[in-house]
Amino acid sequence: MDIAIIGAGIGGLTLALRLHQKGFRPRVYESTAELRPLGVGVVSQPYGTREMTELGLLDELNAVSVDAIESVYYNQYGQEIYGERCGTHMGYPHGQRFIHRGIWQMLLYKAVIERLGPDSVVLGARATGFTEDANGVTVRFRPNHATQPVPAEIRADVVIGIDGIKSAIREQLYPESSKPHFSGITLWRGVTLMKPFKTGGTILHIGAPSQGSLIVYPIHDDWEGTGLTLTNWIVEQNDRAESIEDWNQKGDIAEIAHMFDECKLDFLDVGEMLRNAREVYLFPLIDHDPLDRWAFGRVALMGDAAHAMYPRGGNGACQALVDARVIAEKLSTIDDPVEALQRYEQERLPIANRIVLANRGDGPEVVRRIVEERTQGQRFDDIEKVLPFAEADSIFKEYHRLAGMKRPNENPNEPSGFRSVFFAGT
């Protein structure tokens, strides 16, 4: 079966590897003329790490990522609200990893070239549309600063569109979806080279959502032999005019560096971290309305092209990894590719769409909003009187179930998270 994959992001490259495991030789077409390790931090949840393990790439992933140990939530003053363990530290069979998005992509790209051959990825080929008939699909391309020949069109038995939030394949199928849904929130994303903080594998969630939020986590230890950790951070700022949809739009840290000066943590100077940023990017917090269909005969959508979601809860990239496994399984076990893609849609669409909608709320970040509302944005004396531990713990249990990550050995009558003030030493 001749399978064309449109897009060489994390999802598209993973799909190529999954299909190769099943005996297929797909070809990947990427609009970018050169793949480089661009971007900032992302999270491989335990189920994402499981996918990487099944691809035989766990050692490679671990070598360029940071083991996630704990996730802790604070208000804008640095007062702890709730914490939970991550990955194997929670009891999952697979670890949770913090990693630079571009490094993850390059890891997968190297594996594709080694396993499928140097001609398996065509760079500089921007898809412009497709035509489908009973026997196959014709995809049209135009060169985009390509350094190698780019076909004007190709013929394939199956086409998988995983060309991101600006997907040309999705736009042809859903012309009305070309404009994304803007949340009213602007993301400032950056990285800072600094000493490790707390456990060395802690992700921090800080702030009052009505004013602004900050997420901080390490993505690479001993960066370039400096002994310092490359640390990823994301600031959410409300009430800013919508910016352009471009991950490479540069931002000025001076506009936001003051936002968390009230936050006092004994292990991290937040303001200093922001002001010492190596690079800063602006991006509107956007997604696309959930689609009611992903499979159209021999053409299907996957990853962000199918279910772009707000980056809350760290599930975006990992959901694409699961998509890849399911598509490969269906195409390898069902003779009719049309039926195979329909079965993929039936299995994956309801789950992914639920996460898209859940992330439009606050996802697990809702605990900070609850605290802000109940304290009217003021400091609290006793968090148990504001947000009882049992209530916070139940919120997190439910979100993990929604994302397909029910906590291991979960007992509804026993706590899974922690509060340092109540569970000293946990």
Side-chain angles (χ1 to χ4, degrees):
M1 189 183 300
D2 190 359
I3 303 171
I5 299 170
I6 311 302
I10 289 171
L13 295 169
T14 299
L15 177 59
L17 293 170
R18 280 296 194 181
L19 288 168
H20 180 257
Q21 284 184 325
K22 298 296 185 180
F24 297 109
R25 291 296 299 271
R27 181 165 288 182
V28 184
Y29 298 86
E30 165 60 33
S31 63
T32 304
E34 178 187 6
L35 288 184
R36 294 180 293 142
L38 301 176
V40 285
V42 291
V43 178
S44 176
Q45 295 287 4
Y47 69 94
T49 304
R50 180 192 65 204
E51 301 293 334
M52 293 293 289
T53 302
E54 292 178 1
L55 286 171
L57 294 173
L58 178 62
D59 290 343
E60 290 82 350
L61 176 69
N62 288 348
V64 293
S65 62
V66 176
D67 181 31
I69 297 173
E70 63 178 7
S71 177
V72 191
Y73 293 73
Y74 301 86
N75 67 4
Q76 71 269 39
Y77 305 108
Q79 293 180 289
E80 184 182 315
I81 295 171
Y82 177 83
E84 64 173 351
R85 299 301 179 193
C86 301
T88 54
H89 307 279
M90 172 65 81
Y92 289 106
H94 301 280
Q96 179 176 326
R97 310 296 300 188
F98 301 135
I99 186 171
H100 188 289
R101 181 205 168 277
I103 291 175
W104 195 355
Q105 181 185 19
M106 297 307 292
L107 183 163
L108 293 164
Y109 178 54
K110 180 175 182 287
V112 169
I113 296 301
E114 289 176 349
R115 298 179 188 183
L116 280 74
D119 63 343
S120 58
V121 180
V122 180
L123 299 176
R126 185 181 297 279
T128 60
F130 67 90
T131 303
E132 182 176 1
D133 57 50
N135 299 314
V137 185
T138 300
V139 184
R140 298 177 294 278
F141 298 95
R142 65 175 173 82
N144 182 33
H145 306 292
T147 58
Q148 58 181 312
V150 172
E153 62 180 37
I154 59 101
R155 185 78 174 163
D157 298 307
V158 169
V159 172
I160 308 298
I162 183 168
D163 43 343
I165 199 165
K166 288 186 172 182
S167 168
I169 305 300
R170 186 197 63 233
E171 187 168 355
Q172 179 172 331
L173 296 168
Y174 290 95
E176 70 283 2
S177 76
S178 59
K179 181 162 179 62
H181 173 270
F182 177 49
S183 64
I185 297 172
T186 297
L187 297 180
W188 297 71
R189 307 190 68 162
V191 291
T192 302
L193 196 59
M194 52 189 275
K195 293 180 179 179
F197 62 88
K198 218 167 184 315
T199 65
T202 299
I203 178 170
L204 309 174
H205 312 254
I206 301 168
S210 71
Q211 300 173 31
S213 299
L214 170 66
I215 312 297
V216 185
Y217 56 92
I219 55 175
H220 200 294
D221 290 328
D222 191 23
W223 180 255
E224 297 179 342
T226 61
L228 300 175
T229 295
L230 190 65
T231 301
N232 179 81
W233 53 261
I234 307 166
V235 171
E236 292 189 6
Q237 184 183 35
N238 302 318
D239 303 324
R240 181 187 174 93
E242 183 175 359
S243 58
I244 60 174
E245 190 179 348
D246 180 3
W247 283 114
N248 297 312
Q249 179 187 186
K250 292 294 182 69
D252 182 359
I253 192 62
E255 294 188 49
I256 61 166
H258 65 283
M259 287 179 59
F260 299 92
D261 285 347
E262 287 186 305
C263 180
K264 304 301 179 185
L265 299 169
D266 59 8
F267 54 84
L268 176 66
D269 185 327
V270 174
E272 181 182 36
M273 177 193 71
L274 295 175
R275 293 180 179 93
N276 288 340
R278 287 162 56 102
E279 50 189 336
V280 183
Y281 299 97
L282 276 177
F283 196 77
L285 182 58
I286 57 177
D287 66 6
H288 281 266
D289 290 329
L291 304 176
D292 57 9
R293 185 178 175 189
W294 295 352
F296 297 80
R298 294 170 176 268
V299 178
L301 300 173
M302 180 188 136
D304 278 354
H307 47 72
M309 60 185 67
Y310 294 164
R312 289 176 173 153
N315 286 290
C318 294
Q319 286 295 305
L321 268 60
V322 179
D323 290 347
R325 170 171 49 80
V326 175
I327 287 178
E329 287 174 351
K330 301 307 181 189
L331 288 174
S332 65
T333 57
I334 300 172
D335 291 336
D336 180 5
V338 174
E339 181 185 350
L341 295 181
Q342 289 174 344
R343 294 278 295 277
Y344 149 70
E345 176 191 285
Q346 291 168 4
E347 181 170 334
R348 293 290 302 135
L349 183 146
I351 297 169
N353 280 355
R354 283 199 299 269
I355 299 175
V356 170
L357 293 176
N359 284 4
R360 280 190 177 176
D362 290 303
E365 304 288 344
V366 72
V367 293
R368 292 187 294 109
R369 186 176 299 280
I370 291 172
V371 169
E372 181 186 15
E373 291 173 350
R374 293 179 183 177
T375 63
Q376 297 181 331
Q378 302 302 308
R379 296 177 183 271
F380 55 75
D381 294 323
D382 184 352
I383 183 58
E384 189 67 14
K385 294 179 180 178
V386 178
L387 177 62
F389 180 82
E391 181 183 353
D393 205 50
S394 65
I395 289 170
F396 279 80
K397 287 179 179 178
E398 181 56 32
Y399 183 81
H400 290 316
R401 288 192 198 102
L402 177 70
M405 292 192 302
K406 181 180 177 181
R407 285 172 169 171
N409 304 318
E410 182 177 299
N411 183 337
N413 299 317
E414 294 181 0
S416 297
F418 66 84
R419 274 180 178 155
S420 299
V421 291
F422 292 107
F423 299 95
T426 64

